Amino acid sequence: DGEEVVKLSVGAASLLARPDGSPIAQGDSVLITMRVVDPALLLVEFLPSGLQFNPQQPAEMEMEYGEGNDDYNEDGRHDSTDTTIEATLGIWKQEQLGQPFVRLTSKLLQSTRSCDTRITSFTRYALAY
């Protein structure tokens, strides 16, 4: 299997509010943690959950899906169905456990085997189709 990587970029003006809604002042810092919920599914959770980013300057997240198994439907072969599935990959978020995942506007870059999106809050994210 290949190596999957998740990258997060937070600009100087991106932090907006703590999970309790209190504003984050210029120069304040926030401890950010990423927890891999399921590496096989490329499911990650960013903490503190509910941290808010400025919608005018959101944080950016990139998920690389590496050089792993190209048999996305797990039927034992790589064929046109898998190519079609790869073309539909996107980043999804789940606000609370038990709630459905919602597809985010994301950009798939098959040449680098990655997908990126802009995020305005911390929660659970997955790369899926």
Side-chain angles (χ1 to χ4, degrees):
D1 278 48
E3 181 177 322
E4 290 77 31
V5 176
V6 177
K7 297 176 186 174
L8 177 70
S9 299
V10 180
S14 294
L15 290 173
L16 182 66
R18 299 178 192 286
D20 66 3
S22 62
I24 299 172
Q26 183 81 15
D28 280 358
S29 62
V30 175
L31 177 63
I32 292 174
T33 304
M34 181 184 76
R35 183 173 75 87
V36 178
V37 177
D38 188 331
L41 298 177
L42 197 50
L43 175 61
V44 298
E45 178 177 46
F46 286 103
L47 302 167
S49 182
L51 181 70
Q52 297 293 310
F53 296 101
N54 181 342
Q56 305 304 316
Q57 295 184 334
E60 297 180 12
M61 180 177 55
E62 177 183 3
M63 298 180 116
E64 297 177 2
Y65 51 100
E67 300 297 324
N69 184 359
D70 290 335
D71 181 14
Y72 296 105
N73 64 350
E74 299 181 349
D75 66 356
R77 62 185 186 278
H78 176 70
D79 56 21
S80 62
T81 301
D82 298 299
T83 302
T84 300
I85 290 171
E86 181 180 13
T88 65
L89 288 173
I91 296 176
W92 297 65
K93 76 174 183 175
Q94 182 186 42
E95 289 293 343
Q96 300 287 329
L97 279 175
Q99 290 183 344
F101 277 84
V102 176
R103 188 181 180 107
L104 300 175
T105 300
S106 51
K107 182 174 149 187
L108 180 67
L109 303 166
Q110 288 177 290
S111 61
T112 59
R113 298 179 62 89
S114 65
C115 193
D116 60 23
T117 192
R118 294 178 177 191
I119 59 174
T120 57
S121 66
F122 270 174
T123 189
R124 294 163 56 105
Y125 295 94
L127 184 65
Y129 61 92

